[in-house]
Structures are given as structure tokens and as C-alpha cells.
Amino acid sequence: MNKYIVVIGFVFLLPLQSFSQYAFVNSGANDIYQEAIEAFEQKQYTTAQNKFEEYRKLQDHERIKAENATYYSALISIYLYQSNGENRIKSFVKSNPAHPKALEAYYELGNFYFREKNYAKAIQYYEKTEGDKLKGEDKTHYQFKIAYAYFSRKAFQEALPYFNSLKRRDNQYQSAANYYAGYIYFDKKQFDEALIDLERAAENDDYKISTANMMANIYYQRGQYQKLIDYAEDLIPRLNRLEALNIKLLIADAYFEQNNYKQANDYFEEYRSENRSKMDRELLYRMGYVAYQLQKYEEAIKLFEEVGIAKDSLSQFNAYYLGELYLKKENYRFASNAYEQAKLLDFNQDIAMESHFQLAKLQLKQGNTTNAVEELSSYIKNYPKSPYSTQANELLSEAFLNSNAYDKAIEFLESIENKSLKLKEAYQKVTFYQGAEYFNQANYYRAMELFQKSVDYPQNISLLGETYFWMGESYSTGKKYKEAIASYEKSFKSSKRSDNWFANLNYGLAYAFYNDKQFEKSLQYFKEYLNNGKSATYYADAIVRLADCYYVTKNYQLAINYYQKAIDERNPNIDYAYFQKGVVNSITGNNSLANQSFDKVISDFRNSNYYDNALFQKAQLAFESGQYEKSIDGFSYLLKNLQQSPLRPFAYSRRALAYFNLQRYEKAEEDYTLILQNYLTHSTANGALAGLQELYSIMNKEGDLDQYLSAYKNANPNDGEVTKIEFDAAQSLYFNQKYDRAVSSFKAYIQNYPDHSLTAEARYYLADSYYRNNQFEEALGLFYEVVEADNTAFNKRSIQKIAEIELVNKDYSKARLYFTKLLDQSENKKDKYNAYTGLMEIAKANSDYSKMILYADLIMEEAAVNANAINEAYLNKGMANYYQGKYAEAKSSFQSAVNAAKDEFAAESKYMIALMDYNSKNYQESINALFQLNKDFGNYAIWIGKSFLLIADNYYAMDEIFQAKATLNSIIENADSKVLKDEAKLKLELIESETGTTEEGQDSSMNTIEMEEVIENDSTKN
């Protein structure tokens, strides 16, 4: 027992002895360790690390302290940015998982990176830290710092639980946690939760300013406008520039929402004067609306225009108010553009409807009646139950009365079954105007259709009389004289002497009776017409026609009197008057006086259409008085000098008789033979056969009578008129414009009757059927055949068609040759017009501007067949001068076209005037001209479309960007032409690229501060 105790005692005493010896030995190591700890605490990291490493290398170090030294040395390597620092920490934790410092290692590493603002690294190590095992303040620090690191990375969802935990208990981070939690809730638009946290944070003066913007925004979002104003106005002096600017904007918006526009305007003006960044469209709109409410119209317009155009509801309201503002300033063009934009957008139907109606009224107010018709028609269709529907219908009827887009007006009015009296009168007028337009275009069939529609609605008696007058004119032009007489007589019943067409009504009726061979009636109306005196439009012609009536009714003395009156007054038909006076005197046996008149024509009017007739009649008088030699001389002169005269076969026939009477039978035989060789189908051919037969009998000569007789029969077969029936059937197809069938019929006729007297005419009709079917190559050869044969009355027409086809074929040499031939054979203004127009086209194709001017002048001087012809000449002359850089001369010609008539040539001329103004940088003058074009020439869609493109160019050049874009948008939405739409789109893209239309707008109702600013200004993050 005692021995055991002794042994135990020995064992117990040994460690004590050993420890005493160890403590003695390690007293120096402890000093090193203590020095390292002190250096670490004093942040003398290099010294501390050296001491820790020295301690670790001692053979007699303590294990726990050595492990601590390893930890501290590894931690210091992080602080000193040594490359192996992180790996040493990780190695320590891995080797000493149960060591107390292992719990702190990742936390301290996170703290280091947190201080370095490397929040991603801080999060990486905080996440490896077991935060719940941290004690006291370390746990609080850990929660805030990991939350803040998450927050800095905008990982709000991860940060929020930590902030929520900290804000619920007393700690140094409680205010900060409330602030950041409030910020996160604000960002998530959970405004109730945000406001609670931010108000608590604001109790700490350090956060009172930082919370201001967010709290003000929350009051705004919750509609607590007065609370926002009361809260924010006192804060402004304590805020920095950016914070104050945002608060002022919120206060302005709050006053705006309260309809306190004066206070809102004060803050908006301060904001605009201090703001240095681009303002978003919504903000500009609100500022503009405030200025509008305060009647600061110029300022409102400027702001609304800055809002610009986009496809959103803001643009619709913005455009509507711009329209109203421009309307107040009587700038109707800009107002129209603005209302057009508001109408095109459909976000608010009430605004679209109101804008549509205002636009329609403006179009009418500006005299753009065609556009007004379209807008009002569209409005009535889109809004049949509109509160403005009655007014719209009334305005539409007014627009129709002034519109030249008659076809559209007619189409719309015909769609209304129960027309009001006002609409019936409008229909009567527009159908009349459309008919008059067709009449001026020489489309008499369509004119009659429209005139008939007009008289079916006899609301206006005066217009009814005028319509019947033009119906009479149309029938007369179509040679339907009985129908013309009936129409003129109806016009008399509805017309008064004061009506401007009344005088011409007498003239028209006189001419209709004249052409219907009712000469007794005709002369009465010509006499009535002449009572208007020499100022009457057709006075000169009426004098001659009255003389003709007296001549036909055998009142020869009065006929001579009026022919002489025409001569005395130097009537334009003086050559005809001399000729007719000669004819009348020849009838009454006054051959001497007759010859005097014929001689006057022959000597003074060699280019007269009656020159060959005068020669023939003079020779005929000699023949009838038995002066055969003299008559032979006269007929011979005609035959020698007038190769194209239609009187040649008659001259041969009469000369043959004269030779026969002088018993110069061989000469008579020659003339009869010439007739049978060259004019086999002419009316003189039969007499030539009889004369030749008599001559052969007298001369006891067999001759070639059988041969001529056979040829005559072949050319004029007596087959019961079957061939004539077939010809008439083919001709009927031609005149009814059934050209495909006409081609087949005429081809069959020519094949079946190659030698018939009508075959030559059939060949022409076949050629023209091909021509009218646009089968130009098939037509061309046949026209050449007709011209070469020269045995029909269609020679001149065929020459014209050859010229036109060769022009289409761009064979300008041949085209010029045949247009020149047409000019040489021209008998009237129409022929000359066709020739000069063709030569004009050749000159244009060759850019021969001097020739263009020449032919334009010749058309105006010699071939002014109608107003359209004159206008076309003015246009071409203007273009020739324009291309030569002679702009003053060009503008003069274009203006003459505009003044002369309201046709397509005038529309193009007006466009050219505007283009020249644009090129000269006279932008406002150009715009004025283009809107006048729109007003006066609304029926010519292509020029209206081109004019709006040029209007947009003018606006852009004037820096009226809103108006330019509005105009282009209108073209894109409304134009029928794809070409116009594409060009408008291209111009719009160019404007947007050059003006930088794409904007990054700020959210003016959520003026939050930037994240970096929050973090930089926070005092708790270290």
C-alpha cells in the first residue's frame, strides 16, 4: 500500500518538476510571442509577421501559441497583400478546424475585403463564416457588413433579411439598417414598408437628407401631394444641387396633380434653369401643359414641340394641344399637322375623334376643299354617332360645293340613300362640275352621263339651265343635232338673259339647227346672237354662218350683204367670205363679180383651204360660159400645182368634157384614163367610163374599155350590198371600242374582198384597231400601207399614227419625218397641235431646250385648241428654261400655266414654282405655293403627294422638326402610292438619325439617387 503511494507520488511530482524546468527554458519565446501580438495590435504588420514566424521556428514554442502565430502570420499576409495570403488562411482552417481562430479566419478575411470595398470577395468569405457562432458585437458587425456587401452588389433579396434583423433591435447599425431596408423596399415599389423604414432612419440626422428623395417620391406615388409639398419644401436649402433639383421636380409635379398650375410653373421654371441633362418627354409634356393652362402659349408650343412624335398616348395628347395652340395663333397649317398626328393615334378615341373633326374644319377653313371632303367623309364613316355628326354633314355639303375632287364627292353622295335638300343641291353641282371637266377633256360621252345625273336633281334652277346648255354643246360636238336642239330648248326654259351662258345658248341652238339643215330657224338664232354686238365670243363666225343661212335659203342679196360685212370687218374667215360671195354671184349670174371674188382668194390667200376651190370655180365658170380653153387652163393649173387637192378627180372630169367639147378627143381620153387608173372608186369614175365609151364610139376605136370596165366592177361590185353590210358590222365593232373583235372582222373583210372599194378604208380601221389595242407593231405596217396607197380620206390620220408609234419606238428620225408631214398637211389647229406636240416630245427626249421653247410658242400661237394645250405648252417652255438655268423665264411660264387653267399641267407648274423657291432657300414662299397647290389642285393626287414631301423638306430646312415629321407621318399613313410612302419613310429615318430622336428619358416621377452615391456617402460601411 505504501509502496504504491510512493510510486504514484513520484509520477505526480515528475511533471511538476519538468514544467518548472520548461517554464524557465521558454521565458524568451514568450517575449517574442508577446512582441508579435503587440506589433499586430499596433498594425505593425511586417514586424508582427516576422516575430510570429520567428516564434513558430523556435524548438521550445508552445503548441497553442504556435497555432495562433500561424493564424496571425497568414492573416498578416492578407493585410500586406502577399500573394499566398488566402491560401495560407485556407490551409490554416483546413489543418486546425477545431481551433478557435478557425471560426474567425473567414470572418476576418471578409472584413479585410469589406474594408477594401471588394464586396464580392467579402461576400465570398462572409458566406463561409458561421455567423451564428460569432459572439457579441462581432455578430452585429457581421450581419451589417454582409448585408451591406450584398446591397452594394444590388443583391437586395439577400441583403434584406439581415437589415430587417438589425433594424428590430438596438445596435449601432439600427438607423443604417432602417435606411437600407427602406431603400430596398422603395426599389421594389413596396412603398408602405419603405416609408416606415425611411421615416425611422430619418430620425437620425445622418440620414435625414439621404432619405428625402425617396420619401418625397413615395408621397408622390401614393398621391399624398400636399404631404409631399409640406415635407419637401423646407428640406430644399439643406440639400445638394442634384438632390434639390429632384425635389423641386417632385414638388412641381405635386402642384401639377393638384391643378395648381402657377405654383407648378414656378418650380418647373426653376428646374429648367438649373437642370443640365436632357429632359424626358413626359416631363416636357407636363411643363407644356402647365404653360398652356397659364396661357403662356409661345412657351407651351416650344415645350410641346420638344416632346416630339412617337406612337404613344403621350404623343396623341401632345399633338392635340399643339393643334389647339396653333389654332389660337391662327397658324392653320401647323394646327392641321398637329391634329393630323392626334387623329392618327388611337390611344384615346375621344381625342382622335375631336382631332379628326378639328382637322376637317381646318381643311375647309383653309380652302383645301378636296382634303376637307376626304376628312369629313372619313369622319362621318368612323364616327356615325358623333355629337358633331349633324354639323359634319352640313360642312361636308359645303365642301362638296367648293371641291374639285368631284369623282370622290359623287361616290360619297351616291352612297347616301336619303339625301337632304342641301346634299341634293351639292350632288347637282358636283355632277355638273365633273361633267364640265370631262367636256373640257373632250370626253363627251362621260360628260353627258354626268350632266344627266345633274339634271335629275333640279334643286338649283339656274344650274339646271346651265347644265342643259352644256348637254346641248356635248350633243352638238357628237353631231347629234336633234338631241342638242332639245337640250338647248330646255336650257332656254331655265335660263335668264343675265346668265353668262345665255348668249352662247343662242349661238349653240343656231348652229344645231344649221347642222340639222333647218336653216330658217338657224338664221333666227344667229340674228339673235349677233344682237350682242362685236364683243360676243363667236361674233365673227356667226356673221359668216348667218350669211350661209341666207345663201342656203336662197336669200342671195342678204347672203352677199353679210359676206361683204365679214370682208369689211376683216373677219378671220375673210377668205371663206370672198369665196362664198363668188359662189352666190355665180348662182345669180354675176360672173364678173364672182370672178372678182375668186381672184381675190387666189391672189391674196394662197394658203387658204378655199384656194383650190376658187381655182376650180373660176375654171368651172369659164366652162359653163363656153370658154373651154380658159376653163382648160384653169383646171390644168389646179392639177399641176395642187397635188394634194381632193378636187383633182373633178378637175380631170371637167377638163375632159372641155376637151370633148373642143373635139380634142385624145386629150379627153387621157383625162378619163387618168381617172380610171387613179380614182377607180371615186364618184367621177362612173362618168369617166361613160365618157370613154362615147369617145371610143366617136373615134371608132376599141381601146381598153373592157379592161377598165372589169376593174371598175371589181372595185365597185354590185352584189346586193352584202359587202357593205359586212363592212358596217366590222365598223360598228370599232366604234363601240371592241377592238379585238374589230381586228378579226376587218382582217376577214380584207381577205374576202381584196379589191372592193371599201377595202382601203378597212385596212385603216384594222390598223387603228391594233393601235387602240396597244399592238403598235401590227398597226405600224398597215398604217404605212395606207399612206403609201394614198387612196382614202385617212391618209393624214395614218401619218399621225405612224409618227406617234415611231415616237414610242424611240425612232426619233422617222417620228420627226412623219410629224413634219402631218404639219405640212394640217388643215386646222387640231392637226397642228398634234404635229407640234409630237415634235415637242422628240425635243424633250433629246434635251433640245431651244426646240422645246420654239414648239411651245408655236402651239400657243397656231394650235391653241383648248386651255389644256396652252397650259401644256407653258409647262414645257418653263421646263426648258428651268433646265437651262433661266429661272426667271421658267417661273414666268410656270405662273402663266397656273393662271390659265386648273389642270394637271398647272398643278405641275405650281410644284415647280415651289421647288424653285425651295432651291433658292425661300422656304416660306415655297410652303405657301405648295399649300396653294393643295388648295387649287386637290384632284391631282401625284402632285399633292409630291408637294407634301417638299413641304416636309421646307419644314426641316426651317428647323421645324415637329412639323416636318408630322407631315411625313401623314404621307406614310394616308398616301395611296407606295413610292410616296417609301420616300416619306426614308426622309423620316434621315431626320431621326440627324436629330437624334431616340431619347433615353429619365423617370421624372421616380427620381431615386444612384446606388454608388448611397454607398459613397454612408458613414457606417467601415
Side-chain angles (χ1 to χ4, degrees), residues 892-954:
S892 175
S893 292
F894 291 142
Q895 191 59 53
S896 295
V898 172
N899 295 340
K902 294 294 185 282
D903 59 10
E904 188 169 8
F905 304 117
E908 185 175 355
S909 296
K910 191 71 175 179
Y911 176 83
M912 289 304 301
I913 291 171
L915 180 61
M916 291 170 69
D917 283 332
Y918 171 78
N919 291 336
S920 301
K921 299 185 179 180
N922 298 322
Y923 302 123
Q924 191 57 56
E925 289 88 341
S926 178
I927 288 175
N928 292 341
L930 290 165
F931 275 104
Q932 192 65 41
L933 189 160
N934 185 27
K935 178 180 177 181
D936 293 342
F937 305 99
N939 213 26
Y940 303 107
I942 182 63
W943 293 109
I944 295 299
K946 289 172 74 71
S947 74
F948 277 111
L949 285 173
L950 188 53
I951 286 170
D953 289 341
N954 276 290

Side-chain angles (χ1 to χ4, degrees), residues 497 502 506 523-532:
R497 286 190 173 275
F502 190 85
N506 279 301
L523 67 83
Q524 296 303 319
Y525 285 102
F526 276 129
K527 286 171 65 177
E528 183 67 27
Y529 178 77
L530 288 171
N531 288 334
N532 294 292

